């Protein structure tokens, strides 16, 4: 689905910008921008779309979104009682001097991961709500310290859910291993063809069992599941951004049969590809 680029109000010399809205209407279309965005929404009932993820939300919602990640909220209510506090900060913050210090390593990882979108549940959500209410502007050192504290709290939180798939979010995770980087690049360039575990293990001069253990330790996911997630991410990208027939999407993403494709997609999304596309379009266009 088509999205528009938003021009945010942040200036080059601003550490961040804070925006507060009461009775928010959520009438802005699917969009993206160059900045990071931390959104806290309260008294909300509706849906949230981030990348290829669409979820129903009721109550409060706290999300951190990276640059270029498309997103939109849609309210179920014509008259809204929802309030929104938004912190936006520039993409180059990730590469600033302060992020090069060892004490910032957790925040740096958080910002890398936010390129897929992250939602936070309680108790983190309640803690951040209290902190964000204390920020009155971006022109005091106290507010800047609170901003850094918020990022630190989020970076050490366990109340985390990753929202969008790597492929749909166009997410390039920082690599900690040359071997893992080699394999991920191979998948990126060859996902349309059959990829065997023996082949990728041979590429890094390891046995299949050693490679499987190594890959999972480095990434937190088995190679088989990584490959499946990557292909399903390709699928959702086609479903949300093109009108390609679903049977063509299946083979474009590297699946060798429609039955395997439908089974894998339903296992991940709890719905068929057709239902997913219909629900996504309904949430975006309504």
């Amino acid at each position: 689905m088509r999205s528009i680029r938003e021009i945010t109000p942040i200036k080059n010399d601003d550490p961040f910008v804070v925006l507060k809205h009461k009775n928010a209407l959520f009438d802005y279309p699917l969009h993206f921008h160059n900045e990071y965005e931390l959104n806290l929404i309260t008294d909300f009932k509706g849906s949230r779309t981030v990348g290829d993820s669409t979820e129903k939300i009721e109550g409060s919602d706290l999300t951190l979104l990276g640059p270029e990640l498309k997103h939109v909220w849609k309210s179920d209510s014509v008259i809204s009682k929802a309030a929104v506090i938004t912190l936006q900060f520039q993409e180059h913050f990730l590469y600033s001097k302060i992020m090069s210090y060892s004490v910032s390593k957790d925040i740096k990882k958080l910002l890398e991961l936010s390129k897929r979108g992250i939602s936070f549940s309680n108790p983190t959500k309640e803690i951040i709500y209290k902190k964000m209410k204390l920020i009155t502007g971006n022109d005091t050192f106290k507010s800047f310290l609170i901003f850094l504290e918020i990022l630190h709290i989020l970076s050490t939180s366990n109340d985390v859910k990753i929202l969008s798939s790597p492929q749909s979010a166009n997410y390039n995770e920082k690599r900690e291993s040359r071997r893992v980087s080699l394999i991920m690049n191979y998948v990126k360039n060859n996902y349309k063809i059959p990829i065997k575990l023996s082949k990728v293990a041979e590429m890094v001069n390891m046995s299949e069992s050693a490679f499987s253990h190594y890959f999972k330790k480095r990434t937190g996911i088995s190679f088989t599941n990584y490959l499946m997630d990557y292909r399903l991410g390709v699928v959702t990208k086609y479903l949300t951004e093109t009108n390609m027939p679903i049977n063509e999407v299946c083979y474009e993403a590297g699946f060798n049969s429609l039955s395997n494709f439908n089974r894998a997609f339903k296992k991940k999304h709890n719905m068929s590809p057709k239902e997913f596309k219909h629900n996504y379009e309904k949430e975006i266009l309504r």
Side-chain angles (χ1 to χ4, degrees):
M1 301 304 116
R2 186 177 179 182
S3 55
I4 65 172
R5 179 181 293 275
E6 178 189 11
I7 305 301
T8 64
I10 192 167
K11 299 177 182 178
N12 287 335
D13 58 351
D14 287 336
F16 61 88
V17 64
V18 58
L19 308 168
K20 299 184 179 183
H21 300 284
K22 294 182 179 180
N23 306 120
L25 297 176
F26 302 98
D27 52 358
Y28 205 75
L30 184 68
H31 63 283
F32 62 95
H33 40 70
N34 294 336
E35 293 74 26
Y36 291 94
E37 180 173 288
L38 179 64
N39 265 320
L40 176 65
I41 304 175
T42 54
D43 296 318
F44 176 74
K45 184 177 181 182
S47 65
R48 179 232 302 132
T49 296
V50 172
D52 60 9
S53 165
T54 297
E55 295 183 349
K56 291 293 185 182
I57 306 296
E58 186 167 357
S60 60
D61 190 37
L62 177 64
T63 56
L64 178 63
L65 310 177
E68 307 293 328
L69 183 58
K70 59 185 180 181
H71 55 280
V72 70
W73 279 260
K74 296 285 187 178
S75 177
D76 289 344
S77 305
V78 177
I79 300 176
S80 174
K81 295 182 180 180
V84 183
I85 304 176
T86 300
L87 287 178
Q88 293 177 335
F89 53 104
Q90 296 177 9
E91 183 177 10
H92 63 65
F93 181 79
L94 176 60
Y95 309 106
S96 63
K97 182 64 177 178
I98 195 171
M99 287 294 101
S100 68
Y101 298 132
S102 60
V103 293
S104 302
K105 65 181 186 300
D106 290 334
I107 296 177
K108 196 169 184 178
K109 289 179 180 179
L110 173 79
L111 297 183
E112 288 285 356
L113 198 56
S114 73
K115 295 173 185 177
R116 291 174 59 183
I118 309 171
S119 68
F120 299 88
S121 55
N122 286 325
T124 299
K125 195 160 48 172
E126 294 176 346
I127 295 170
I128 296 302
Y129 175 64
K130 294 176 182 177
K131 296 293 182 182
M132 290 181 76
K133 286 178 66 178
L134 296 175
I135 297 180
T136 56
N138 62 359
D139 55 352
T140 68
F141 193 69
K142 181 178 179 180
S143 289
F144 182 62
L145 290 178
I146 296 172
F147 166 67
L148 292 179
E149 185 181 9
I150 286 172
L151 292 182
H152 173 68
I153 293 169
L154 295 177
S155 71
T156 56
S157 171
N158 293 319
D159 312 316
V160 172
K161 179 180 179 181
I162 308 304
L163 298 177
S164 190
S165 66
Q167 177 62 19
S168 178
N170 199 24
Y171 170 64
N172 296 307
E173 186 177 5
K174 181 181 178 182
R175 314 304 188 202
E176 295 182 359
S177 162
R178 181 190 62 81
R179 289 171 170 172
V180 171
S181 177
L182 178 67
I183 298 305
M184 288 181 169
N185 284 331
Y186 180 78
V187 169
K188 180 179 179 180
N189 294 323
N190 297 278
Y191 65 86
K192 292 184 181 182
I193 65 174
I195 297 178
K196 294 184 178 180
L197 181 62
S198 58
K199 166 67 177 177
V200 293
E202 182 183 352
M203 287 174 60
V204 291
N205 299 313
M206 300 175 75
S207 68
E208 291 184 32
S209 60
F211 170 74
S212 296
H213 177 75
Y214 177 85
F215 189 89
K216 187 168 185 178
K217 183 178 180 181
R218 287 284 183 173
T219 65
I221 187 174
S222 71
F223 174 73
T224 301
N225 287 340
Y226 174 81
L227 177 59
M228 179 65 72
D229 280 353
Y230 191 92
R231 284 173 169 158
L232 290 173
V234 173
V235 169
T236 56
K237 192 174 181 67
Y238 277 121
L239 294 179
T240 59
E241 297 183 2
T242 76
N243 291 317
M244 183 181 291
I246 290 175
N247 62 324
E248 291 183 24
V249 170
C250 163
Y251 297 106
E252 279 293 312
F255 289 91
N256 56 15
S257 75
L258 276 171
S259 59
N260 289 341
F261 164 63
N262 284 314
R263 189 181 308 113
F265 192 94
K266 192 166 186 177
K267 182 178 180 181
K268 182 176 179 63
H269 293 284
N270 295 315
M271 65 183 74
S272 70
K274 184 177 181 179
E275 291 170 325
F276 178 91
K277 185 175 181 65
H278 174 75
N279 288 345
Y280 187 88
E281 290 177 346
K282 183 175 68 174
E283 292 296 336
I284 296 302
L285 299 177
R286 69 187 175 94

